[in-house]
Amino acid sequence: MTGSVSTTSLSWDVVLVDKPDDVNVVIGQAHFIKTVDDLHEALVGVSSALRFGLAFCEASGPRLVRRSGNDPALVELATNTALAIAAGHCFVIFLREGFPISVLNPVKAVPEVCTIHCATANPVEVVVAVTERGRGIAAVIDGQPPLGVETDRDVTERRELLRAIGYKL
């Protein structure tokens, strides 16, 4: 058996996702040009009040950032964020008037979606691996590390909050 081993260099970029505090972000990986249209349809079906912008980095062919949404400012934010990440087949969705918990199942049900890297209102950094071939999302930094372990009072407060916002009976 014959073969050759080739090597390439690797470097890292960290992309800060710059977003307003009242905006949630979902970042994931997909695999086909149809992704942007299917994600748009999935998000529209969640709620008529949901405002969103999404962008998808095409990894072959013309390699464009494909974009869509119903809020021009969020579409622009998603497009700029996708351009900054610049990793093939990644997508970025920004949400207003809705939360990731409401959109995650419809987004995951889109056949082109391979994975979700994060869904959050927290500050986010995207760790991007860079080789001679291109860029890929290696990890996301979502929020900050914990400061301790919840107490019994914290458990009670968490459950009361979930009931107050309608997620628990």
Side-chain angles (χ1 to χ4, degrees), residues 13 15 27-31 55-60 63-66 78-92 117 126-131 133-140:
D13 283 347
V15 177
I27 299 173
Q29 190 85 19
H31 70 90
F56 169 71
C57 292
E58 194 173 51
S60 59
R63 297 193 333 241
L64 301 172
V65 173
R66 306 293 181 166
T79 302
N80 291 338
T81 302
L83 282 168
I85 296 169
H89 284 151
C90 78
F91 64 85
V92 178
H117 296 292
V126 180
V127 180
V128 179
V130 182
T131 70
R133 176 171 299 213
R135 298 165 59 87
I137 296 175
V140 296

Side-chain angles (χ1 to χ4, degrees), residues 5 10 13 18 26-27 29 32 34 46 54-55 57 86 89 96 99 106 115 126 131 133 140 159 165-166:
V5 176
L10 172 68
D13 283 347
D18 188 20
V26 178
I27 299 173
Q29 190 85 19
F32 189 50
K34 190 169 154 285
V46 170
L54 70 102
C57 292
H89 284 151
R96 245 193 200 113
F99 299 98
T115 193
V126 180
T131 70
R133 176 171 299 213
V140 296
R159 291 182 177 154
I165 62 175

Side-chain angles (χ1 to χ4, degrees), residues 101-102 158-169:
I101 195 166
S102 301
R158 170 174 44 89
R159 291 182 177 154
E160 287 172 357
L161 171 66
L162 291 173
R163 279 192 289 279
I165 62 175
Y167 283 104
K168 290 284 185 182
L169 298 176

Side-chain angles (χ1 to χ4, degrees), residues 39-50 95 97-107:
L39 284 173
H40 182 106
E41 291 169 9
L43 293 167
V44 165
V46 170
S47 165
S48 61
L50 182 69
L95 307 170
E97 307 303 327
F99 299 98
I101 195 166
S102 301
V103 305
L104 278 177
N105 283 336
V107 166

